[in-house]
Every structure is written in C-alpha cells, then in structure tokens.
Amino acid sequence: MSIDEIKGKLQQTLSTKRFTHSIMVMEAAVQLAHKYGGDVEKAALAGLIHDCAKELAPEVTFDLCHKHGIVVDEIMRKQPKLLHGMVGSYFARDMFEVNCPDVLSAVADHTMGRPGMDKLACIVFVADYIEATRDFPGVDEIREAAQQSLEMAILTGIDRSIAGILDKRELLHPRTVETRNWALNMLESGKAAGRITL
Ligand code: FE
Ligand code: FE
C-alpha cells in the first residue's frame, strides 16, 4: 500500500484529532531523521502509522494481543492503552501491508520505548512528544532537548511523563523506567552518537 493510500485509510478510521497528530508526527519524524541521519522514508511511514491502533476498543485490543501472542502483563491489563504500539505493529502489517521490521518495531516500541531501541524507534518516540500541535506543560523543554540529542529528548520526555503518572497516581510500567535509565546511561557514557551530551 502506498503512503497516500495508508493516509486515506487512517483518515477514514481515526478521529480528526488523532489523524492530525499522526500527520504531524510523520512531519516531526522526517525532520528528526534529517537532523540525526535516520532513514527519512521509514521515519515518515512509522510516524504516520504509529497510533493506528490507539482508538481500538479495549476488547478488540485484548483480542488482537491474544491472536498475535502479545503477552499482556497485569499493568497492561489495567491500562490497555499501553498496548496500542505493540498491537499497532501487527495491525499495520495486516491492514496496510507494512512489512519492514524496523518500521514495525518503531511502532511497537513508541509507547514505552525499549532499552537499546534503534535510531528509527528513537526518532518516532521523540517525534510523538514534540510534533507541532503538542501543547502540554514541559513540551518546549523536550523540543529543546531534541536539538541536543535523541537520548536527551527521550530522557526529558519520559521524566515529564513519569511526573504526570505520579501526579495522577496511575500505574507506572517498568519498561518506561528501563527506557529512561537506558537513555540516561547513554548520555552519561557519552554514547549518544555524535551529539552534545550532559
Ligand atoms: Fe501512541
Ligand atoms: Fe502518538
């Protein structure tokens, strides 16, 4: 399926707000790919489709997890929204004929991240936070961090998310913490590839 056909499908199935967000994440991902030497086409596609499963009902989400062997832990059971990345990667494969493993993993990991995720996944993760229509307290700090390095943006973004989760007394998934610690370790060890670090 071409990117325009996928756009058309998403426009039909997602709310206007989510569709606009998807287009903006695509644009932000393209910019980050240019800045950090990522694959621009893959960044565009992954950004566009990253939330394709976000509006599925929890029952449908759980059914798809069962069908595809996605392990649903106790926190995900209570917070089905945590599953929309993983479910989205299968949904995109089956509905939009996306077969590129890098693109599918970037979609799968955009919600909680993953320690060691590749550049494309980092780009989509960060683009999701900073796309131009995003307007939440702290977003400008994440945008500034994204000028320094992807890892700094991941760290700053997750710190902000965790603060929000604590404020709302929601469950915090350990993988979010693992991704955050990974980004911090990358920055401290100077491995944030070729970019200004702490
Ligand atoms: Fe999402
Ligand atoms: Fe999103």
Side-chain angles (χ1 to χ4, degrees):
M1 214 178 258
S2 74
I3 200 146
D4 281 337
E5 286 172 310
I6 296 174
K7 257 186 223 175
K9 286 264 180 208
L10 287 172
Q11 192 161 22
Q12 284 166 18
T13 52
L14 294 177
S15 63
T16 311
K17 187 172 177 242
R18 183 86 45 209
F19 177 69
T20 306
H21 165 67
S22 303
I23 298 289
M24 299 313 283
V25 172
M26 176 174 75
E27 288 179 8
V30 165
Q31 285 176 11
L32 289 169
H34 281 300
K35 182 172 174 64
Y36 291 116
D39 186 310
V40 174
E41 275 181 36
K42 287 181 185 178
L45 178 57
L48 176 66
I49 64 176
H50 80 288
D51 270 346
C52 65
K54 180 119 187 195
E55 294 180 349
L56 297 177
E59 314 84 75
V60 178
T61 298
F62 290 133
D63 281 353
L64 287 171
C65 287
H66 184 70
K67 180 179 168 194
H68 296 297
I70 298 168
V71 178
V72 179
D73 65 27
E74 213 175 311
I75 298 177
M76 295 164 177
R77 177 72 51 190
K78 289 184 179 160
Q79 310 244 89
K81 64 182 178 182
L82 291 174
L83 292 161
H84 78 272
M86 284 183 283
V87 168
S89 70
Y90 288 97
F91 193 84
R93 186 194 67 181
D94 296 345
M95 306 301 282
F96 309 141
E97 300 154 12
V98 174
N99 290 309
C100 173
D102 310 345
V103 170
L104 295 176
S105 325
V107 172
D109 288 335
H110 88 270
T111 313
M112 294 175 283
R114 180 179 296 281
M117 60 184 173
D118 68 10
K119 194 189 282 183
L120 181 68
C122 290
I123 284 171
V124 175
F125 192 86
V126 172
D128 195 18
Y129 275 105
I130 65 168
E131 58 92 343
T133 67
R134 286 287 208 199
D135 181 21
F136 55 87
V139 67
D140 285 333
E141 202 191 328
I142 307 169
R143 291 191 176 113
E144 277 166 34
Q147 295 302 310
Q148 294 179 51
S149 70
L150 291 169
E151 289 81 356
M152 185 63 90
I154 292 166
L155 177 66
T156 309
I158 295 182
D159 280 355
R160 174 59 56 175
S161 296
I162 291 176
I165 289 166
L166 297 185
D167 273 353
K168 288 188 271 176
R169 284 251 159 117
E170 283 183 353
L171 290 170
L172 172 57
H173 198 281
R175 199 194 303 157
T176 304
V177 178
E178 287 162 14
T179 306
R180 184 247 177 216
N181 289 347
W182 166 74
L184 182 56
N185 281 330
M186 293 292 281
L187 290 163
E188 286 183 339
S189 65
K191 285 189 197 144
R195 306 184 289 260
I196 303 159
T197 57
L198 285 176

